[in-house]
Amino acid sequence: MFVSDRNQHEQLGSSKERNKRWTDVDNYLSDLLIAHDPILEEALQNNATAGLPPQDIAPNQGKLLHLLARIQGARTILEIGTLGGYSTIWLARALPADGRLITLESDPKHAEIARANIACAGLSDIVEVRVGQALDLLKELDAENRRFDMIFIDADKPNNPEYFKWALQTVGCKGYDGFAIALVTNDN
């Protein structure tokens, strides 16, 4: 929303009020459009119990990622930033049986929790969690000549430009017309 003057900005309320309103809309859409899923709910609970930061995507955002991957016909997905694996599960469920998802996580504790959540979802055969700094792991993927049909970037925001640059140079066999990137630009 473009705010042209200070009075209009003040009418929108404080940042805290806007964030609450946004969360309320997210919750409404999720309750309306997303079916109860005990595996995903358990993953969120496991993340909270383990003390992971409450930065998982919303269920409606997970559904959108899932739909983008399905529409794309993605067979290979790279996720940069795993946290506890909630978005990983959404994306991996969109893959065909012979699909592959590689997810990169810098924190070993987060990676351990993600692996457990991914195993509970029955997706360990198609998901590989790699631990380390993403920029270093991307160099390894280059050395392995990996290509991806879809890349989801939700990691440390200061490195987003480098991740995005790397992603554009790593287009899958479909070329630019068959390549989707989902980039999270803000923690809120």
Side-chain angles (χ1 to χ4, degrees):
M1 176 184 308
F2 177 75
V3 179
S4 62
D5 66 33
R6 183 181 172 100
N7 289 335
Q8 283 180 327
H9 183 71
E10 289 171 359
Q11 289 173 358
L12 295 174
S14 70
S15 175
K16 190 174 188 177
E17 290 168 335
R18 288 190 307 273
N19 285 339
K20 182 186 179 323
R21 196 172 311 131
W22 187 254
T23 299
D24 289 346
V25 170
D26 256 357
N27 290 340
Y28 172 77
L29 290 173
S30 293
D31 292 345
L32 185 65
L33 301 173
I34 310 299
H36 169 73
D37 189 320
I39 299 292
L40 287 168
E41 291 169 10
E42 183 179 354
L44 287 174
Q45 183 59 49
N46 292 343
N47 294 353
T49 300
L52 269 60
Q55 298 171 340
D56 294 291
I57 60 171
N60 57 322
Q61 295 166 339
K63 182 68 171 184
L64 176 61
L65 287 173
H66 178 90
L67 289 172
L68 288 172
R70 295 286 302 266
I71 291 167
Q72 173 69 17
R75 302 180 69 73
T76 56
I77 298 174
L78 174 65
E79 178 183 45
I80 303 174
T82 313
L83 195 59
Y86 181 76
S87 55
T88 313
I89 294 169
W90 275 107
L91 288 165
R93 285 178 169 179
L95 289 169
D98 63 342
R100 190 82 176 143
L101 187 150
I102 296 176
T103 183
L104 312 180
E105 175 55 50
S106 64
D107 188 309
K109 177 186 173 187
H110 297 180
E112 178 184 332
I113 294 158
R115 284 186 182 110
N117 287 332
I118 291 162
C120 285
L123 297 167
S124 295
D125 289 345
I126 62 170
V127 175
E128 177 185 352
V129 179
R130 295 191 183 189
V131 181
Q133 295 302 308
L135 291 174
D136 297 332
L137 296 172
L138 293 174
K139 291 175 188 171
E140 291 178 14
L141 292 171
D142 268 341
E144 297 168 18
N145 200 30
R146 296 286 185 138
R147 298 293 176 257
F148 299 93
D149 299 318
M150 181 175 177
I151 298 175
F152 176 49
I153 301 171
D154 188 13
D156 58 313
K157 306 311 180 238
N159 283 318
N160 275 352
E162 290 304 313
Y163 302 148
F164 193 73
K165 181 177 155 185
W166 184 91
L168 290 175
Q169 296 172 358
T170 315
V171 176
C173 63
K174 298 175 186 173
Y176 284 105
D177 290 341
F179 184 69
I181 296 174
L183 176 66
V184 176
T185 59
N186 192 338
D187 287 332
N188 293 329

